């Protein structure tokens, strides 16, 4: 995990477990703030809709995923962390909660 304390962004691989990410964050006195911490990979957790995550309506400026790298139909796409509405089409909507049907997170 690569943590940027200024932006409060953590860079993790999709193959890391959510439990391991949470443990590393807690060691830095931070948290994902989940209701329960699943022992699944970040990719599988995101693909299943991130159960236990805070509601996106609780803070419209905060987002669960600020940037990502994914493969869409064989093409590698990198969306760097940026305000959600400044990144063009919401390709993350094809990743979040869709069981990796259209994309694979890296």
């Amino acid at each position: 995990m690569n943590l940027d304390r200024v932006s409060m962004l953590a860079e993790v691989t999709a193959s890391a477990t959510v439990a391991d990410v949470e443990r590393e964050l807690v060691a830095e006195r931070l948290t994902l703030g989940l209701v329960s911490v699943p022992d699944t990979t970040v990719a599988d957790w995101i693909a299943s809709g991130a159960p236990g995550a805070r509601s996106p309506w609780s803070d419209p400026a905060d987002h669960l995923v600020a940037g990502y790298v994914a493969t869409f139909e064989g093409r590698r796409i990198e969306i760097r962390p940026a305000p959600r509405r400044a990144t063009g089409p919401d390709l993350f909507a094809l990743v979040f909660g869709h069981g990796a049907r259209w994309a694979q997170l890296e």
Side-chain angles (χ1 to χ4, degrees):
M1 179 179 77
N2 183 16
L3 178 64
D4 179 1
R5 282 204 164 270
V6 174
S7 66
M8 299 300 287
L9 294 175
E11 182 180 339
V12 301
T13 63
S15 60
T17 67
V18 178
D20 286 342
V21 171
E22 179 68 6
R23 270 191 289 280
E24 289 185 52
L25 288 172
V26 167
E28 296 291 329
R29 297 184 184 202
L30 298 169
T31 182
L32 291 170
L34 304 177
V35 172
S36 64
V37 180
D39 193 26
T40 186
T41 66
V42 170
D44 289 342
W45 182 63
I46 295 292
S48 66
R54 283 184 259 186
S55 167
W57 301 108
S58 64
D59 183 354
D62 188 19
H63 23 299
L64 181 65
V65 176
Y68 59 94
V69 176
T71 303
F72 288 87
E73 297 182 353
R75 293 184 183 178
R76 187 174 187 266
I77 296 174
E78 180 176 353
I79 304 295
R80 295 186 181 173
R84 192 175 17 227
R85 288 167 179 54
T87 60
D90 185 10
L91 297 178
F92 192 67
L94 295 174
V95 176
F96 188 76
H98 289 281
R101 282 185 207 115
W102 293 286
Q104 294 289 349
L105 286 177
E106 292 180 31

